[in-house]
Amino acid sequence: MIIVGSGAVHLKDELLNFGAEVGEIEISRFPDGEKYVRVPLCGTEATVVQSTYKPQDENLIEALLIGDALRERGFEKLKLVVPYLAYSRQDRVTKEGEPISVRAVMRTLGLYYDELYVVDIHNPKTLDFFPGKAFNVSPARSIADYFGDKLGEGIVLSPDKGALSRARKVAEELGVEYSHFEKRRISPTQVEMRPVEIDVSGKNVLIVDDIISTGGTMIRAAEILRKLGARKIFVGVTHGVFAEGAVEKVSNAVDELAVTNTIPTPVSKISVVPEIIRVL
Amino acid sequence: MIIVGSGAVHLKDELLNFGAEVGEIEISRFPDGEKYVRVPLCGTEATVVQSTYKPQDENLIEALLIGDALRERGFEKLKLVVPYLAYSRQDRVTKEGEPISVRAVMRTLGLYYDELYVVDIHNPKTLDFFPGKAFNVSPARSIADYFGDKLGEGIVLSPDKGALSRARKVAEELGVEYSHFEKRRISPTQVEMRPVEIDVSGKNVLIVDDIISTGGTMIRAAEILRKLGARKIFVGVTHGVFAEGAVEKVSNAVDELAVTNTIPTPVSKISVVPEIIRVL
């Protein structure tokens, strides 16, 4: 039994197509703005699918209300699948006085859910903040499937060393080479960004990452790859948290931009539903 | 040490006037809409003041982020003062499948706060959902102070029996009579509303309640009191959760409408800061 929250309604039809049993839920709002949910279901185990992109806080609170309603109905085991987890980048204190916001989110969700599945979480270590069992769901196979034929014998790159494991997973699905960009200071004011120990000339390149927002990094990376003689340049990112105008800017800078549907965007051409179905 | 959240900034100056030590806090937003807070303070005990009217969910999440930041800084005891608590009316299941939303809110706040103080909570029993110590803060004295001279030897009424204790507390502060309205079915389609066992003719009347939204009840009550020969009619409510146009409609129907400043509104003429200071 799957319950789909407001943040994941765009995935509902596809979940049904995969044969998932999707339970009835009523979601509305009181005149003062408070969320109202009703989940008139019976059972002992359920999986709630709720993405928490903008409005993040409303989607988070909704997940709690759904959890409370299911516990009230006597459900004993609740799983939560979060295609996009809000606050996942606020994962450390960089300036004194900051919270570890993703910790607050994890603890809160842990009040109602026994297991948590997050698609491509920014920092997998933060899953430890969840009191129950928590898992990262990699979209590597879906991204590989989407770009495989276009990439051919190309190269998969991550924009920095921290994201290298994402590039590796996609490359391993396709049996191609992979590497990452690195930043090198070439003068007191200039930083150069280049792919490490790999020759991109004459090759197609797929740059993968977990989140794209302004797209600045991707645009810079594409410029460098063009200079180095790369053929086609593709960008395949999990979460399209696009800033105003970013979809157009990145699309113009590369041969193709595609993100997954953890957040619905005009370029959410890759579905993570197969991955979600796999973990249910 | 007091920390004031976004939902309570309208109380900050008055808190300072009462001599409270208000700590520095930074609150902003990332381009994608996520809240950012920073509380660069040192200490072991702090009180956070955060009201949770619209946008309710953002104000709730902000309270958690502030709590997480303070715990990260090593604070050992945290109190939370909530002038207006969102979801407080969703305190029971009226239709199967509903959550007890206020329970979800209480449990969530309990992750970071040891003590909770809520001004005039809709249903005091719901305080039991908070894992730590939780208290109701009555605004009766402030309401009594504001209306005392205007009311004179008048009467305090609540719109129903459930709110009678609110009328009693205000009346006791003023040493005047009190009662409540009751609804009586006078035909299959008509319900009559009248004050119980009290004569209002020639008297000033103050109607008190915890929440006013559309104001429909107050307007009907005022009409009945006029018919029964009441002199001046005052409405003194704690939380002004006004629907569109309600301030004007109620103001036109009575001699004076005043609410407290748990929520900032054009008629928030009564301050609860003295009550908040009292419990700190």
Coordinates of all heavy atoms in Angstrom, one line a residue, chain A residues 166-214:
Chain A
R166 N 29.2 9.2 -7.8 CA 28.0 9.2 -8.7 C 28.4 8.9 -10.1 O 27.8 8.2 -10.8 CB 27.3 10.6 -8.6 CG 26.6 10.8 -7.3 CD 25.8 12.1 -7.2 NE 25.2 12.2 -5.9 CZ 25.7 12.8 -4.9 NH1 26.9 13.4 -5.0 NH2 25.1 12.8 -3.7
A167 N 29.5 9.6 -10.5 CA 30.0 9.3 -11.9 C 30.4 7.9 -12.1 O 30.1 7.3 -13.1 CB 31.2 10.2 -12.2
R168 N 31.1 7.3 -11.0 CA 31.5 5.9 -11.1 C 30.3 5.0 -11.3 O 30.3 4.1 -12.2 CB 32.3 5.5 -9.9 CG 33.0 4.2 -10.0 CD 33.6 3.7 -8.7 NE 32.6 3.5 -7.7 CZ 32.6 4.1 -6.5 NH1 33.6 4.9 -6.1 NH2 31.6 3.8 -5.7
K169 N 29.2 5.2 -10.5 CA 28.1 4.3 -10.6 C 27.5 4.3 -12.0 O 27.1 3.3 -12.6 CB 27.0 4.7 -9.6 CG 27.3 4.1 -8.2 CD 26.2 4.4 -7.2 CE 26.8 4.3 -5.8 NZ 26.1 5.2 -4.9
V170 N 27.3 5.5 -12.6 CA 26.7 5.6 -13.9 C 27.6 5.0 -14.9 O 27.2 4.2 -15.8 CB 26.4 7.1 -14.3 CG1 26.0 7.3 -15.7 CG2 25.4 7.7 -13.3
A171 N 29.0 5.3 -14.8 CA 29.9 4.7 -15.8 C 29.9 3.2 -15.7 O 30.0 2.5 -16.7 CB 31.3 5.3 -15.5
E172 N 29.9 2.6 -14.5 CA 29.9 1.2 -14.4 C 28.6 0.5 -15.0 O 28.7 -0.5 -15.6 CB 30.0 0.8 -12.9 CG 31.4 0.9 -12.4 CD 31.5 0.8 -10.8 OE1 30.5 0.6 -10.2 OE2 32.7 0.8 -10.3
E173 N 27.5 1.2 -14.9 CA 26.3 0.7 -15.6 C 26.5 0.6 -17.1 O 26.0 -0.2 -17.8 CB 25.1 1.6 -15.3 CG 24.6 1.6 -13.9 CD 23.8 0.4 -13.5 OE1 23.3 -0.3 -14.5 OE2 23.6 0.1 -12.3
L174 N 27.3 1.6 -17.6 CA 27.5 1.7 -19.1 C 28.8 1.1 -19.6 O 29.0 0.9 -20.8 CB 27.5 3.2 -19.5 CG 26.2 3.9 -19.2 CD1 26.3 5.4 -19.5 CD2 25.1 3.3 -20.1
G175 N 29.7 0.7 -18.6 CA 31.0 0.1 -19.0 C 31.9 1.1 -19.7 O 32.5 0.8 -20.7
V176 N 31.8 2.4 -19.3 CA 32.7 3.4 -19.9 C 33.6 4.0 -18.8 O 33.5 3.7 -17.6 CB 31.8 4.6 -20.5 CG1 30.9 4.0 -21.6 CG2 31.0 5.3 -19.5
E177 N 34.5 4.9 -19.3 CA 35.5 5.5 -18.3 C 34.8 6.6 -17.5 O 33.8 7.2 -17.9 CB 36.6 6.1 -19.1 CG 37.6 5.1 -19.7 CD 38.7 5.9 -20.3 OE1 38.6 6.4 -21.5 OE2 39.8 5.9 -19.7
Y178 N 35.4 7.0 -16.4 CA 34.9 8.1 -15.6 C 36.1 8.8 -14.9 O 37.1 8.2 -14.7 CB 33.9 7.6 -14.6 CG 34.5 6.7 -13.5 CD1 34.9 7.2 -12.3 CD2 34.6 5.3 -13.7 CE1 35.5 6.4 -11.3 CE2 35.2 4.5 -12.8 CZ 35.6 5.1 -11.6 OH 36.2 4.3 -10.6
S179 N 35.8 10.0 -14.5 CA 36.7 10.8 -13.8 C 36.0 12.0 -13.2 O 34.8 12.0 -13.2 CB 37.9 11.3 -14.7 OG 38.9 12.0 -13.9
H180 N 36.8 13.0 -12.7 CA 36.1 14.1 -12.1 C 36.9 15.4 -12.4 O 38.1 15.3 -12.8 CB 36.0 14.0 -10.5 CG 37.4 13.9 -9.9 ND1 38.0 15.1 -9.4 CD2 38.2 12.9 -9.6 CE1 39.2 14.7 -8.9 NE2 39.3 13.4 -9.0
F181 N 36.3 16.5 -12.3 CA 37.0 17.8 -12.4 C 37.7 18.1 -11.2 O 37.3 17.6 -10.1 CB 36.0 18.9 -12.7 CG 35.5 19.0 -14.1 CD1 34.4 18.3 -14.6 CD2 36.1 19.9 -15.0 CE1 34.0 18.4 -15.9 CE2 35.7 20.0 -16.3 CZ 34.6 19.3 -16.7
E182 N 38.8 18.9 -11.3 CA 39.4 19.4 -10.1 C 39.7 20.8 -10.3 O 40.0 21.3 -11.4 CB 40.6 18.6 -9.7 CG 41.9 19.0 -10.3 CD 43.1 18.2 -9.8 OE1 43.0 17.4 -8.8 OE2 44.2 18.4 -10.4
K183 N 39.7 21.6 -9.2 CA 40.0 23.0 -9.2 C 41.5 23.2 -8.8 O 41.9 22.6 -7.8 CB 39.1 23.8 -8.3 CG 37.7 23.9 -8.8 CD 36.8 24.6 -7.8 CE 35.3 24.6 -8.3 NZ 34.4 24.6 -7.2
R184 N 42.2 24.0 -9.6 CA 43.6 24.2 -9.3 C 43.8 25.7 -9.4 O 43.4 26.4 -10.3 CB 44.5 23.5 -10.4 CG 45.7 22.9 -9.8 CD 46.5 22.1 -10.8 NE 46.5 22.8 -12.1 CZ 47.1 22.3 -13.2 NH1 47.6 21.1 -13.1 NH2 47.1 23.0 -14.3
R185 N 44.5 26.3 -8.4 CA 44.8 27.7 -8.4 C 45.9 27.9 -9.3 O 47.0 27.4 -9.1 CB 45.1 28.1 -6.9 CG 45.2 29.6 -6.7 CD 45.2 30.0 -5.3 NE 43.9 29.8 -4.7 CZ 42.8 30.6 -4.9 NH1 42.9 31.6 -5.6 NH2 41.6 30.3 -4.3
I186 N 45.7 28.7 -10.4 CA 46.8 29.0 -11.3 C 47.4 30.3 -11.1 O 48.5 30.6 -11.7 CB 46.3 28.7 -12.8 CG1 45.1 29.6 -13.1 CG2 46.1 27.3 -13.1 CD1 44.8 29.6 -14.6
S187 N 46.8 31.2 -10.4 CA 47.4 32.5 -10.0 C 46.6 32.9 -8.7 O 45.6 32.3 -8.4 CB 47.2 33.5 -11.1 OG 45.9 34.1 -11.0
P188 N 47.1 34.0 -8.0 CA 46.4 34.4 -6.8 C 44.9 34.6 -7.0 O 44.1 34.5 -6.1 CB 47.2 35.6 -6.4 CG 48.5 35.5 -6.9 CD 48.3 34.8 -8.2
T189 N 44.5 35.0 -8.2 CA 43.1 35.4 -8.4 C 42.4 34.4 -9.3 O 41.2 34.5 -9.4 CB 43.0 36.8 -9.0 OG1 43.7 36.8 -10.2 CG2 43.5 37.9 -8.1
Q190 N 43.1 33.4 -9.9 CA 42.4 32.6 -10.9 C 42.5 31.1 -10.4 O 43.5 30.6 -10.0 CB 43.1 32.7 -12.2 CG 42.6 33.8 -13.1 CD 43.2 33.8 -14.4 OE1 44.4 33.9 -14.6 NE2 42.4 33.5 -15.5
V191 N 41.3 30.5 -10.6 CA 41.2 29.0 -10.3 C 40.8 28.4 -11.7 O 39.9 28.8 -12.4 CB 40.1 28.8 -9.3 CG1 39.9 27.3 -9.2 CG2 40.5 29.3 -7.9
E192 N 41.6 27.3 -12.0 CA 41.3 26.6 -13.2 C 40.6 25.3 -12.9 O 40.9 24.7 -11.8 CB 42.7 26.3 -13.9 CG 42.5 25.8 -15.3 CD 43.8 25.2 -15.8 OE1 44.4 24.3 -15.2 OE2 44.3 25.7 -16.9
M193 N 39.6 24.9 -13.7 CA 38.9 23.7 -13.4 C 39.2 22.8 -14.6 O 39.0 23.2 -15.8 CB 37.4 24.1 -13.4 CG 36.5 23.1 -12.9 SD 34.8 23.8 -12.9 CE 33.8 22.3 -12.9
R194 N 39.6 21.5 -14.3 CA 39.8 20.6 -15.5 C 39.6 19.2 -15.1 O 39.8 18.8 -13.9 CB 41.2 20.8 -16.1 CG 42.4 21.2 -15.2 CD 43.6 21.3 -16.1 NE 43.7 20.2 -17.1 CZ 44.1 20.4 -18.4 NH1 44.4 21.6 -18.8 NH2 44.1 19.4 -19.2
P195 N 39.3 18.4 -16.1 CA 39.1 16.9 -15.8 C 40.4 16.3 -15.5 O 41.4 16.6 -16.1 CB 38.5 16.4 -17.1 CG 38.5 17.5 -18.1 CD 39.1 18.7 -17.5
V196 N 40.4 15.4 -14.5 CA 41.7 14.8 -14.0 C 42.0 13.5 -14.7 O 41.2 12.6 -14.9 CB 41.5 14.5 -12.5 CG1 42.7 13.7 -12.0 CG2 41.4 15.8 -11.7
E197 N 43.2 13.5 -15.2 CA 43.8 12.2 -15.8 C 42.9 11.5 -16.8 O 42.7 10.3 -16.7 CB 44.2 11.2 -14.7 CG 45.4 11.7 -13.9 CD 45.6 10.8 -12.6 OE1 45.0 9.8 -12.6 OE2 46.4 11.2 -11.8
I198 N 42.3 12.3 -17.7 CA 41.5 11.7 -18.7 C 41.5 12.6 -19.9 O 41.5 13.8 -19.8 CB 40.1 11.4 -18.2 CG1 39.4 10.3 -19.0 CG2 39.2 12.7 -18.2 CD1 38.4 9.5 -18.2
D199 N 41.5 12.0 -21.1 CA 41.5 12.8 -22.4 C 40.1 12.8 -23.0 O 39.6 11.8 -23.4 CB 42.5 12.2 -23.3 CG 42.6 13.0 -24.6 OD1 42.0 14.1 -24.7 OD2 43.2 12.5 -25.6
V200 N 39.5 14.0 -23.0 CA 38.1 14.1 -23.5 C 38.0 14.5 -25.0 O 36.9 14.5 -25.6 CB 37.3 15.2 -22.7 CG1 37.3 14.8 -21.2 CG2 37.9 16.6 -22.9
S201 N 39.2 14.7 -25.6 CA 39.1 15.2 -27.0 C 38.5 14.2 -27.9 O 38.8 13.0 -27.9 CB 40.5 15.6 -27.5 OG 41.3 14.5 -27.7
G202 N 37.5 14.6 -28.7 CA 36.8 13.7 -29.6 C 35.8 12.8 -29.0 O 35.2 11.9 -29.7
K203 N 35.6 13.0 -27.7 CA 34.7 12.0 -27.0 C 33.4 12.8 -26.5 O 33.5 14.0 -26.3 CB 35.4 11.5 -25.7 CG 36.7 10.7 -26.0 CD 36.5 9.3 -25.5 CE 37.8 8.5 -25.8 NZ 38.1 7.5 -24.7
N204 N 32.4 12.0 -26.4 CA 31.2 12.5 -25.8 C 31.4 12.5 -24.3 O 32.0 11.6 -23.8 CB 29.9 11.7 -26.1 CG 29.6 11.8 -27.6 OD1 29.9 12.8 -28.3 ND2 29.0 10.7 -28.2
V205 N 30.8 13.5 -23.6 CA 31.0 13.5 -22.1 C 29.6 13.7 -21.5 O 28.8 14.6 -21.9 CB 31.9 14.7 -21.7 CG1 32.0 14.8 -20.2 CG2 33.3 14.5 -22.4
L206 N 29.4 13.0 -20.4 CA 28.2 13.1 -19.6 C 28.6 13.6 -18.2 O 29.4 12.9 -17.5 CB 27.4 11.8 -19.4 CG 26.3 11.7 -18.4 CD1 25.2 12.7 -18.7 CD2 25.8 10.3 -18.3
I207 N 28.2 14.8 -17.8 CA 28.5 15.3 -16.4 C 27.3 15.0 -15.5 O 26.2 15.3 -15.9 CB 28.8 16.8 -16.4 CG1 29.6 17.3 -17.6 CG2 29.4 17.2 -15.1 CD1 29.7 18.8 -17.8
V208 N 27.6 14.3 -14.4 CA 26.5 14.0 -13.5 C 26.8 14.6 -12.1 O 27.9 14.9 -11.8 CB 26.4 12.4 -13.3 CG1 26.1 11.8 -14.6 CG2 27.6 11.9 -12.6
D209 N 25.7 14.9 -11.5 CA 25.8 15.5 -10.1 C 24.4 15.3 -9.4 O 23.5 14.8 -10.0 CB 26.1 17.0 -10.2 CG 26.8 17.5 -8.9 OD1 27.0 16.8 -8.0 OD2 27.2 18.7 -8.9
D210 N 24.4 15.6 -8.1 CA 23.2 15.3 -7.4 C 22.2 16.5 -7.5 O 21.0 16.2 -7.6 CB 23.4 14.9 -5.9 CG 24.1 16.0 -5.1 OD1 24.8 16.8 -5.7 OD2 23.8 16.1 -3.9
I211 N 22.7 17.7 -7.5 CA 21.8 18.9 -7.5 C 22.3 19.9 -8.4 O 23.5 20.2 -8.5 CB 21.7 19.5 -6.0 CG1 21.1 18.5 -5.0 CG2 20.9 20.8 -6.1 CD1 21.0 19.0 -3.6
I212 N 21.4 20.5 -9.2 CA 21.7 21.6 -10.0 C 20.8 22.8 -9.6 O 19.6 22.6 -9.5 CB 21.6 21.3 -11.5 CG1 22.0 22.4 -12.4 CG2 20.2 20.8 -11.9 CD1 22.3 22.0 -13.9
S213 N 21.4 23.9 -9.4 CA 20.6 25.1 -9.0 C 20.8 26.3 -9.9 O 20.0 26.5 -10.8 CB 20.8 25.5 -7.5 OG 22.1 25.4 -7.1
T214 N 21.9 27.0 -9.8 CA 22.1 28.1 -10.7 C 22.7 27.5 -12.0 O 22.5 28.1 -13.1 CB 23.2 29.1 -10.2 OG1 24.4 28.4 -10.1 CG2 22.8 29.7 -8.9

